[in-house]
Amino acid sequence: MKRFLILTAVFSLFGCAEMQQVMNQLPQAQGMGLVDISGGLKEALNNGISKQVTKLTAADGFYRNEAVKILLPEELRKVDAGLRKIGLNSLADEGLKVLNRAAEDAVKEATPIFVDAIKNMSFADARGILMGNESSATNYLQNSTSTSLYGKFNPVIKNSFAKVGADKVWANIITKYNSIPLVNKVNPDLTDYVTNQAMSGVFKMVAVEEKNIRTNLNARTSPLLQKVFAMQDKKI
């Protein structure tokens, strides 16, 4: 009977340990389980969207932010130079500005896509992201949303071109440039180019906030952020 009781106790202890290990991986787990880690990362990403990405939707949100300002693609730099040579500086300046205006308009469509990606973050995703580098959460968001984001941005960019007058400005620019004697005529796909540049700008701004939260204790403005990112600091 004594041997039976000892074996029962050992089995019970082993069972409790195994059960605790399983419980720590369930959404209902307390402490530093799934809810805390993913919740903290979701809050960090939401901060990136609300504090940084929304800046891009303002007038000149792209154009006056050197980190994300959309410059002309290589093919159009010769167009810009050609226009300036014949005294059309203001038209060249306007062409660059309206590309950035279209991007600002399109970024307003980003938030719902980001929210879906954040909701789908798994425990494995969350743990790996937390213990990763200073842009791991941004990289997760980029990998999870790029395809959907492009599909959403591309038609919006196209519509925004018309909305902000970029289509007419660039039709005029291309026509004038192609009429210059001896130049190689151009016909760029500006919708695709601006779509990709707008997406790049969005992820750069999310990365700014992520780095801030990871490296600046004062940026952890809630108990959850403080608790979760303390784990990262200790690398436990």
Side-chain angles (χ1 to χ4, degrees):
M1 177 62 73
K2 183 183 292 185
R3 181 179 297 178
F4 174 76
L5 292 173
I6 292 172
L7 288 173
T8 300
V10 170
F11 176 79
S12 297
L13 289 172
F14 177 77
C16 289
E18 291 295 304
M19 182 62 73
Q20 186 61 49
Q21 185 177 12
V22 172
M23 289 297 292
N24 286 339
Q25 298 184 42
L26 293 176
Q28 295 84 2
Q30 299 299 316
M32 297 311 297
L34 174 60
V35 172
D36 286 328
I37 296 175
S38 64
L41 288 168
K42 289 173 184 178
E43 185 173 337
L45 288 170
N46 283 326
N47 283 354
I49 294 166
S50 62
K51 293 182 180 180
Q52 300 295 338
V53 176
T54 53
K55 294 178 182 178
L56 299 178
T57 65
D60 291 330
F62 273 87
Y63 189 69
R64 296 196 182 279
N65 184 337
E66 291 301 320
V68 297
K69 182 179 180 178
I70 298 176
L71 303 177
L72 293 178
E74 186 173 351
E75 181 184 7
L76 292 182
R77 290 172 196 166
K78 60 185 179 182
V79 175
D80 182 87
L83 292 176
R84 295 181 191 280
K85 282 181 181 178
I86 60 175
L88 296 176
N89 293 41
S90 60
L91 181 59
D93 291 340
E94 183 66 13
L96 182 61
K97 184 175 289 187
V98 291
L99 294 185
N100 286 271
R101 285 281 185 272
E104 291 157 11
D105 190 57
V107 167
K108 297 171 185 176
E109 302 293 327
T111 301
I113 299 171
F114 288 154
V115 169
D116 287 342
I118 293 169
K119 283 180 180 177
N120 292 328
M121 186 184 294
S122 70
F123 174 77
D125 288 330
R127 185 78 184 187
I129 290 167
L130 182 64
M131 298 307 178
N133 60 39
E134 64 185 22
S135 61
S136 289
T138 303
N139 292 339
Y140 164 81
L141 198 61
Q142 187 167 4
N143 292 335
S144 301
T145 64
S146 287
T147 300
S148 298
L149 204 58
Y150 184 94
K152 190 76 171 180
F153 268 21
N154 196 258
V156 173
I157 290 287
K158 188 174 182 178
N159 291 334
S160 294
F161 267 43
K163 183 177 178 181
V164 303
D167 54 348
K168 293 180 180 178
V169 170
W170 274 97
N172 188 24
I173 287 174
I174 297 302
T175 298
K176 287 188 180 299
Y177 177 78
N178 286 342
S179 68
I180 298 174
L182 304 179
V183 301
N184 293 322
K185 291 180 171 45
V186 296
N187 185 27
D189 184 351
L190 286 174
T191 302
D192 175 74
Y193 175 74
V194 175
T195 298
N196 284 302
Q197 292 298 304
M199 289 169 58
S200 176
V202 165
F203 294 123
K204 281 182 181 178
M205 296 306 290
V206 174
V208 166
E209 187 64 20
E210 179 183 359
K211 182 178 179 180
N212 191 32
I213 291 173
R214 285 185 182 275
T215 60
N216 180 5
L217 295 178
N218 292 329
R220 301 170 188 176
T221 53
S222 74
L224 181 58
L225 286 175
Q226 292 163 11
K227 185 178 182 183
V228 170
F229 283 93
M231 291 183 69
Q232 170 219 252
D233 297 339
K234 298 174 183 178
K235 293 293 181 183
I236 58 173

